[in-house]
Amino acid sequence: MASAGRLLLLYLLPATLLVTWGKVLRQSHKGIGEACEEHTECQSGCCVTNSLNPQKFCTPQTIFQYCLPWQKPNGHTCHAHSECQSDCCVTNSYRLQMYCTAKTIFLQCIPWRKPNGAPCMDHSECRSKCCIRLNEVSPRHCIPRSGILLQCLPL
């Protein structure tokens, strides 16, 4: 009769609970927003970071069943385009530190470039896209384009 009572008790318990030798263990997966360490812990199958905090949480999948990690908003430091919501990670000054920045209205990710007069090694470093020597012995500098056709010519 005692075993019949246990079977009745097991039947009456919610499906999410499992009774084993007097111990109650959770069988269900974690819901959206709960802390997790692996995808298998979550009902959605997605366990990713959702902020600058390295703690992972259960998040919903996309309609294509992907698990998208949180991405940094504009202004946060970054190392790669994929870290940013804008998908644009560039320097914004002479310093080597890179930041998430917005794309242009043409969806371009344009890096910061040196102003006119700054020393340079290549045209791509300058806002004017013009890096030349002012004479044969001087170092290269960014200069404004000149002439009717706005060419990169010495001043």
Side-chain angles (χ1 to χ4, degrees), residues 14-140:
T16 59
L17 296 176
L18 177 66
V19 176
T20 310
W21 301 108
K23 295 181 182 177
V24 177
L25 302 173
R26 289 196 63 112
Q27 182 181 1
S28 70
H29 294 319
K30 296 178 180 180
I32 303 301
E34 291 187 64
C36 59
E37 293 180 19
E38 297 179 8
H39 294 303
T40 56
E41 295 178 41
C42 304
Q43 290 174 346
S44 64
C46 285
C47 180
V48 296
T49 58
N50 64 359
S51 68
L52 285 174
N53 181 349
Q55 174 67 53
K56 292 181 177 182
F57 295 93
C58 294
T59 58
Q61 288 185 354
T62 67
I63 58 172
F64 301 110
Q65 298 184 343
Y66 289 114
C67 297
L68 295 178
W70 179 79
Q71 293 176 307
K72 298 175 181 180
N74 291 341
H76 284 272
T77 59
C78 56
H79 298 286
H81 295 304
S82 60
E83 292 180 38
C84 304
Q85 289 174 355
S86 63
D87 202 31
C88 188
C89 179
V90 296
T91 59
N92 64 1
S93 68
Y94 287 102
R95 290 180 275 142
L96 296 177
Q97 183 64 55
M98 297 174 74
Y99 296 91
C100 294
T101 57
K103 288 186 175 181
T104 67
I105 58 171
F106 302 109
L107 301 177
Q108 293 175 313
C109 184
I110 299 175
W112 177 84
R113 292 194 171 103
K114 295 177 180 180
N116 290 333
C120 58
M121 297 298 290
D122 188 72
H123 296 305
S124 63
E125 294 178 31
C126 304
R127 285 184 199 156
S128 63
K129 295 188 180 175
C130 188
C131 175
I132 61 173
R133 290 190 167 117
L134 299 178
N135 59 47
E136 292 90 31
V137 292
S138 71
R140 294 173 168 251

